[in-house]
Amino acid sequence: MKKIIPLFTIATLFLASSAIAKPAPLNSGGFVGDSAIQESCDNSTNTTCARFDVAQKGGFQGPSLSISSIEQVKQMSDDQKVVLRGYITQSLGDEDYLFKDDSGTIQVEIDHKSWRGQVITPNDLVEIQGKVDKDWKSIEIDVKRIIKLPAESK
């Protein structure tokens, strides 16, 4: 006597095995990570593929915060939004880094998700967007976004 397996059971097993076979990619960020490029393909023909930058999905274009210097940041109040251009020169451990521009250096805190998979070295010019975090005896920048700038921006 043949045993009949319901179609629902077969479909469930197939979907479960597909999910196990394809783990989600890790976006480790920091000094190691994947690029923010995704590939979109028409799987039915497997010929139509388009690459696009995930960060460029549209939005507001117009005036924004002007670029400040570290010297100016040291005079700002707590929680003030800021944009800086310079270089991340050193990792201080965990999420803390040393950031340098022409006016000085300052400690910045960059969450792992803020790297967005970008690989950044001390030779790369970056723009950081964040807010001033002032305590009793220290000042640092809590970075919300970091952008690696093209070489010609130097």
Side-chain angles (χ1 to χ4, degrees):
M1 182 168 173
K2 291 186 179 181
K3 192 172 189 180
I4 299 175
I5 300 173
L7 184 59
F8 173 78
T9 304
I10 294 171
T12 304
L13 291 173
F14 177 74
L15 290 174
S17 66
S18 295
I20 293 169
K22 297 178 185 177
L26 296 177
N27 186 4
S28 56
F31 289 108
V32 180
D34 300 325
S35 69
I37 302 290
Q38 285 187 347
E39 192 166 319
S40 172
C41 296
D42 178 4
N43 290 330
S44 62
T45 61
N46 207 15
T47 57
T48 310
C49 292
R51 292 174 61 91
F52 58 94
D53 190 343
V54 176
Q56 296 180 1
K57 290 187 177 179
F60 177 75
Q61 288 185 342
S64 61
L65 291 173
S66 61
I67 297 171
S68 301
S69 68
I70 293 173
E71 187 176 299
Q72 292 170 323
V73 167
K74 292 180 179 180
Q75 306 306 316
M76 293 180 178
S77 58
D78 189 38
D79 291 332
Q80 191 167 347
K81 291 183 179 182
V82 66
V83 177
L84 295 166
R85 279 194 180 170
Y87 301 89
I88 298 173
T89 59
Q90 182 180 357
S91 171
L92 302 175
D94 197 25
E95 296 179 339
D96 295 322
Y97 299 87
L98 199 58
F99 180 84
K100 179 182 183 304
D101 72 4
D102 292 336
S103 69
T105 59
I106 194 166
Q107 186 170 326
V108 297
E109 181 181 340
I110 306 173
D111 293 337
H112 299 293
K113 65 183 177 190
S114 298
W115 291 102
R116 298 178 328 179
Q118 300 175 96
V119 176
I120 296 174
T121 70
N123 296 322
D124 294 321
L125 179 64
V126 296
E127 179 176 291
I128 59 173
Q129 301 170 2
K131 65 178 186 167
V132 177
D133 187 13
K134 269 191 172 177
D135 289 331
W136 284 90
K137 295 181 181 179
S138 67
I139 183 170
E140 70 177 25
I141 306 298
D142 184 11
V143 177
K144 302 298 181 190
R145 185 168 187 208
I146 182 168
I147 304 164
K148 183 177 179 179
L149 299 173
E152 62 268 5
S153 296
K154 295 180 183 182

